[in-house]
Structures are given as structure tokens and as C-alpha cells.
Amino acid sequence: MLDIGFLELMLIGVVGLLVLGPERLPRAARTAGMWIGKIKRTVSGMQREISAQLEAEELRQKLNEQQKKLDDSLKKAKLDVESIADSPSDAAPAKQSDTEQRVAQASSRLDDALQTVREETVREETSSSSSAPASTTPTREAKPEMPNPESAILNKDRNHQ
């Protein structure tokens, strides 16, 4: 904080003794110590609040990035599924197997994207929980699992018939 050496402290003490006298100097020293303590506690409290706000903002940014990644993956999967659904249904059996392959590829990409997002959130949770206190770590709700891709194909086939 302040670079005050022993000589400066002794000079302040002598001047204080001369100005205040021996009766009032101890009381003045206690009062000064009390005020310095209050100021230090206030400053440290403000520092804690600022650091907590910065950590919360970082977590919000990470969550927004993860949400964008998930949205992009879901849009891509949706476009793949829509392109498959828009293809003619009275195609030859060779084209139906091609369609099934495209559906399998789309579902595998979606599964890969979801797995990547889950792994990244687990990594971020473990890294943030080790650095952040337990009281500031947000609780997470369980996400619903994706349906089986094979049952989705069967349901789609039933709907088209």
C-alpha cells in the first residue's frame, strides 16, 4: 500500500505525541486503526463482488456460445431431415436405401453434435467448480435424451403410409 518505513512511523508518532498529548494519543490511535480496518473490509468486499460479477459474466458468455453451437447443429440436422422428407416418396428401392443412409448420417451427426456439447459442458462444469466456490455454482437440470434414430425412422415410415 504505502511505503512507510520505521523512521517515518517514528516521526508520525512523535508529532502525534506532541500534538495530542499522552492522554489522547492512545484513543486516537485506536480510532485510526478502527477506521483503517473498516476501509480495508469495505475494499475487500467490493473486490469480492466485482470478481463474482466477472465470473458470472464469463459463465453467461460460455453458455451463450454453447447455445449457439447447439442451435447450429440442430438447424443443420433439421435441414438434413427436411431435405430427406422433401425427396419423392415413390422412388425406387435403391433411392429408399439412399434415403435411409442419409437419415442415418443426419442422426449420427446430430448425436455427435450433442455428445460434443455434453462433453464440453462437463469439462466446463468441472473446471468452473474447481475454481468457483460451491455456493456460486449454478445447478443444472437434466436434459431429455434424444429418441432412438431407428424408432424415428419407423415412426416416419408409419406417418408416410
Side-chain angles (χ1 to χ4, degrees):
M1 226 164 107
L2 298 174
D3 291 330
I4 298 177
F6 182 72
L7 186 61
E8 288 90 2
L9 284 175
M10 190 177 312
L11 182 65
I12 291 171
V14 169
V15 170
L17 183 62
L18 291 175
V19 171
L20 296 175
E23 296 95 28
R24 291 188 290 177
L25 183 63
R27 191 173 357 147
R30 279 193 295 270
T31 305
M34 181 185 69
W35 280 102
I36 290 172
K38 283 184 179 181
I39 291 170
K40 283 184 178 181
R41 284 190 295 276
T42 303
V43 168
S44 67
M46 286 182 186
Q47 287 175 342
R48 279 193 305 269
E49 288 179 22
I50 290 171
S51 65
Q53 290 294 326
L54 290 174
E55 287 178 12
E57 184 62 31
E58 288 176 10
L59 286 175
R60 278 189 217 108
Q61 288 176 351
K62 286 181 182 179
L63 286 174
N64 287 337
E65 290 173 9
Q66 292 298 324
Q67 185 66 37
K68 286 179 184 176
K69 286 180 184 178
L70 184 60
D71 288 343
D72 291 341
S73 298
L74 290 176
K75 284 179 185 178
K76 183 186 266 187
K78 182 180 176 183
L79 290 174
D80 288 343
V81 171
E82 286 176 352
S83 69
I84 292 169
D86 290 342
S87 66
S89 61
D90 56 354
K95 287 194 176 188
Q96 286 181 349
S97 66
D98 182 45
T99 304
E100 290 172 0
Q101 288 176 352
R102 290 172 60 193
V103 168
Q105 288 175 349
S107 65
S108 68
R109 275 192 248 151
L110 182 60
D111 291 339
D112 291 342
L114 288 172
Q115 183 65 26
T116 303
V117 168
R118 286 184 188 130
E119 289 172 356
E120 289 177 1
T121 53
V122 166
R123 263 188 266 131
E124 289 174 1
E125 285 176 353
T126 56
S127 66
S128 66
S129 66
S130 64
S131 64
S135 62
T136 61
T137 305
T139 58
R140 295 185 54 92
E141 296 179 7
K143 292 183 179 179
E145 292 295 322
M146 293 300 295
N148 187 357
E150 296 171 359
S151 65
I153 294 171
L154 293 174
N155 288 336
K156 181 183 172 191
D157 289 339
R158 283 189 210 134
N159 291 337
H160 282 289
Q161 290 177 353

